[in-house]
Amino acid sequence: MRYGNRKKILVTGGAGFLGSHLCERLLEQGNEVLCVDNFFTGTRRNVAHLLDHQDFELLRHDVTFPLYVEIDEIYNLACPASPVHYQFDPVQTTKTSVLGAINMLGLAKRTKSRILQASTSEVYGDPEIHPQPENYWGRVNPIGYRSCYDEGKRCAETLFFDYFRQHKLPIKVVRIFNTYGPKMHPNDGRVVSNLIMQALRGADITLYGDGLQTRSFCYVDDLVDAIIRMMNAPETVVGPINIGNPEEFTIRQLAEAVIKITNSKSKVVFKPLPPDDPRQRKPDISNAVHLLDWKPSTSLADGLKKTVEYFSAL
Ligand code: NAD
Ligand code: UDP
Ligand code: UDP
């Protein structure tokens, strides 16, 4: 039952890093939230503060299995995002993206819900066009260690656009670039959490390869703002739309920033570069700027400060 503008919203992967921030924001806006997660990389701790909220419900469920619930809107975020975790059980990673997309699209079709897919900059692979616009088809290795994630997400995008064309489903696809912030798992394995945890513990700071590869880091609050704007944009705005912070840094620069903020005595050590690690990555966000009237507002220094505060308190 729907009252006024209040919606019943399903967030898959809602106990993860991005999902838990999204659940919180959707509740603040007065919606009912059904958070579905199998707790592979997410934790109950991330949503513990929401459990007593009368409009919040937490369900342990794996999206590779069908789900019959009554909802108005779906944010499909379920999928491990850190290379360490998505490569741990690569077959399950592909199943989560592909079977998860099929089940959530089937659910959206039956309930006539809007559905948003959290896609990724990884669909561009190791890009030879820089920065990456949405009409770039990418350069992805189909048989490498990252393929379970990259190709799974690419296939999920295919399914979204086929349900859009074949079943006239109201879809939304966002391609998220590296996002960081509080509630990342301390052992998540991604670069921002790794470097901050190492700096705080006085352990060696691990740079893979020469550390001159680049990434563009978006603070979580900016990201959540963008995906909610995308969901609420007119039905003709389906995407895919890049969401990220176009400020580009080498991983060495990131390490320097972390060391400065934490006042750490840690020293930097170099480790082998993982296979197929993209050399550069930076979003072209002109579409987000024009269609969503959105651009990120948190600088890397400010975002890192808040993230360091979170990890220091753990
Ligand atoms: P995360 O690992 O913290 O969250 C993913 C959540 O999905 C976890 O809570 C996990 O337990 C859950 N999950 C995994 N498999 C599932 C399954 N089969 N059924 C139900 N739940 C399942 O990662 P995140 O950074 O919060 O990423 C959320 C989404 O955003 C992912 O789809 C990811 O691909 C996408 N994304 C994130 C980034 C980023 O930089 N954070 C970048 C690009 C895309
Ligand atoms: N599905 C689901 N919840 C629903 C409706 C469908 O999980 O409320 C799943 C169902 O398992 C199905 C998939 O979504 O396999 C795709 O549904 P769709 O209706 O598109 O295809 P079909 O049922 O014809 O295979
Ligand atoms: N990286 C690093 N040290 C670490 C973890 C990651 O130098 O401890 C590098 C990694 O090789 C990649 C970049 O940082 O070039 C971003 O890695 P992450 O796993 O965060 O995400 P990706 O963008 O590669 O999916």
Side-chain angles (χ1 to χ4, degrees):
M1 186 67 82
R2 192 164 159 180
Y3 303 96
N5 288 330
R6 177 190 169 85
K7 287 174 281 194
K8 178 143 190 179
I9 303 178
L10 166 62
V11 179
T12 75
F17 160 51
L18 296 181
S20 56
H21 285 273
L22 178 63
C23 289
E24 198 175 292
R25 190 82 69 89
L26 292 171
L27 284 170
E28 279 165 15
Q29 294 180 349
N31 300 292
E32 265 180 71
V33 172
L34 172 58
C35 169
V36 163
D37 207 294
N38 70 348
F39 303 122
F40 175 51
T41 51
T43 60
R44 283 173 61 86
R45 207 176 333 112
N46 281 341
V47 290
H49 62 302
L50 306 177
L51 291 174
D52 287 337
H53 197 300
Q54 58 176 3
D55 294 324
F56 183 76
E57 194 181 344
L58 176 63
L59 175 67
R60 181 192 283 262
H61 173 81
D62 183 322
V63 295
T64 62
F65 296 98
L67 176 66
Y68 286 84
V69 288
E70 305 313 314
I71 32 87
D72 305 310
E73 219 166 74
I74 306 171
Y75 288 85
N76 188 35
L77 270 62
C79 184
S82 161
V84 179
H85 295 296
Y86 70 64
Q87 289 170 25
F88 172 75
D89 185 350
V91 174
Q92 171 68 11
T93 299
T94 301
K95 282 187 189 173
T96 292
S97 277
V98 177
L99 298 177
I102 292 174
N103 287 327
M104 293 309 108
L105 287 161
L107 171 62
K109 189 176 126 206
R110 182 181 61 76
T111 55
K112 301 184 172 49
S113 303
R114 263 191 193 197
I115 178 167
L116 178 144
Q117 168 67 0
S119 190
T120 168
S121 53
E122 283 287 310
V123 300
Y124 302 121
D126 190 5
E128 64 272 80
I129 292 186
H130 196 71
Q132 294 79 54
E134 290 89 348
N135 60 8
Y136 173 50
W137 290 353
R139 187 164 73 119
V140 174
N141 175 358
I143 57 166
Y145 290 97
R146 295 177 87 101
S147 312
C148 57
Y149 183 73
D150 300 11
E151 297 289 18
K153 289 283 189 180
R154 285 169 69 97
C155 183
E157 285 200 13
T158 306
L159 285 159
F160 268 68
F161 278 85
D162 284 332
Y163 270 77
F164 171 64
R165 287 181 288 251
Q166 198 175 328
H167 299 301
K168 311 284 175 261
L169 210 70
I171 64 151
K172 305 273 175 185
V173 176
V174 292
R175 290 183 179 154
I176 302 171
F177 284 65
N178 298 62
T179 302
Y180 69 99
K183 292 196 202 154
M184 289 184 96
H185 198 284
N187 301 324
D188 178 272
R190 280 178 278 185
V191 70
V192 175
S193 45
N194 266 13
L195 267 46
I196 292 178
M197 289 305 293
Q198 291 162 345
L200 289 175
R201 288 175 171 151
D204 289 349
I205 297 210
T206 54
L207 293 195
Y208 301 161
D210 57 13
L212 294 177
Q213 67 273 37
T214 70
R215 293 293 186 273
S216 307
F217 299 99
C218 185
Y219 186 64
V220 61
D221 289 355
D222 287 333
L223 188 281
V224 168
D225 181 30
I227 61 179
I228 293 179
R229 275 170 190 259
M230 178 62 170
M231 180 64 105
N232 295 316
E235 205 154 288
T236 47
V237 181
V238 294
I241 283 193
N242 289 338
I243 304 291
N245 191 322
E247 260 194 275
E248 184 183 10
F249 296 90
T250 65
I251 301 305
R252 278 193 199 191
Q253 288 173 318
L254 174 71
E256 284 159 14
V258 168
I259 289 172
K260 191 171 159 209
I261 290 169
T262 52
N263 251 325
S264 177
K265 302 263 177 306
S266 291
K267 66 175 199 301
V268 166
V269 298
F270 291 90
K271 300 264 180 184
L273 189 70
D276 295 337
D277 199 279
R279 191 71 208 149
Q280 52 182 1
R281 193 185 278 154
K282 165 182 167 147
D284 176 336
I285 59 163
S286 352
N287 277 324
V289 171
H290 292 121
L291 296 170
L292 307 180
D293 188 24
W294 173 88
K295 61 177 187 332
S297 62
T298 313
S299 68
L300 183 68
D302 288 346
L304 283 179
K305 243 177 254 153
K306 294 185 199 174
T307 313
V308 166
E309 274 165 27
Y310 169 80
F311 282 115
S312 311
L314 283 185

